[in-house]
Amino acid sequence: MSKNNTVKLTQEGYDNLKEELRRLEEDERGVVAKELKEAIAEGDLSENAAYDEAKDRQARLEGRIIEIKQTLAIAEIVTNTKGDKINIGSTIDIKDSSGSKKTFTITGSDGASPAEGKISYDSPLGSAFVGHKKGDIVEVETPGGKKKYEILNVN
């Protein structure tokens, strides 16, 4: 499989997807099936809002299951080699040009949660840092223009 057809994930991200898949297949499918059965029992499906809702939920559920299975099938688990260069799994301390300091952990695609300080390696910000090391100045194109960040520390 070529590198372009892989999704890089940390072991934690991979494990989280496996657990989500298990929960969706083993738990949520049963709940949705029960909702559909109850809605069908109400009769006339042409004007049955509960049936329409249950069908929509089932479609979203099955779509997410397919998406997770596809991601897991092409996943490449990346471990941080704890080198001096930033990679997936690295935690970095940065300072922007205004002096504001932030800490980020570089994650795989499905592990990103900016509110928790986790940014994906393939996001504009994450990809700008990958491969750099402590002391580097990194320029990132943002919607508001170019921003410069100094890398203060790499763990």
Side-chain angles (χ1 to χ4, degrees):
M1 191 171 292
S2 81
K3 292 243 184 238
N4 294 338
N5 292 332
T6 63
V7 174
K8 294 180 181 181
L9 297 173
T10 60
Q11 184 65 54
E12 178 185 12
Y14 183 86
D15 292 345
N16 288 343
L17 280 178
K18 290 283 285 188
E19 174 56 25
E20 182 182 355
L21 179 62
R22 184 211 57 78
R23 184 181 53 76
L24 293 176
E25 289 182 327
E26 295 176 13
D27 301 337
E28 293 297 317
R29 267 188 177 154
V31 170
V32 171
K34 183 180 176 194
E35 288 174 359
L36 275 169
K37 186 176 180 181
E38 289 171 358
I40 289 169
E42 290 177 15
D44 188 7
L45 298 182
S46 65
E47 295 181 21
N48 188 330
Y51 175 76
D52 291 339
E53 261 181 54
K55 288 297 287 179
D56 287 347
R57 184 168 175 205
Q58 181 186 41
R60 285 190 308 276
L61 173 72
E62 294 304 324
R64 180 64 181 150
I65 287 171
I66 290 168
E67 179 184 342
I68 293 171
K69 284 182 175 181
Q70 289 173 341
T71 298
L72 292 174
I74 61 172
E76 175 189 342
I77 297 174
V78 179
T79 56
N80 185 4
T81 58
K82 296 295 180 193
D84 61 345
K85 289 193 175 183
I86 297 170
N87 199 350
I88 293 176
S90 297
T91 297
I92 60 173
D93 297 316
I94 61 168
K95 178 173 70 174
D96 67 19
S97 53
S98 70
S100 177
K101 294 180 182 179
K102 294 181 181 165
T103 299
F104 291 113
T105 299
I106 308 297
T107 69
S109 301
D110 282 19
S113 177
E116 296 175 22
K118 297 178 180 181
I119 57 174
S120 172
Y121 75 95
D122 59 358
S123 69
L125 191 58
S127 64
F129 290 123
V130 170
H132 287 278
K133 60 186 187 299
K134 179 179 177 178
D136 285 357
I137 303 293
V138 178
E139 198 170 77
V140 181
E141 187 67 48
T142 70
K146 289 186 180 187
K147 280 189 104 171
K148 288 185 181 181
Y149 297 92
E150 178 183 358
I151 301 168
L152 303 175
N153 199 20
V154 178
N155 292 316

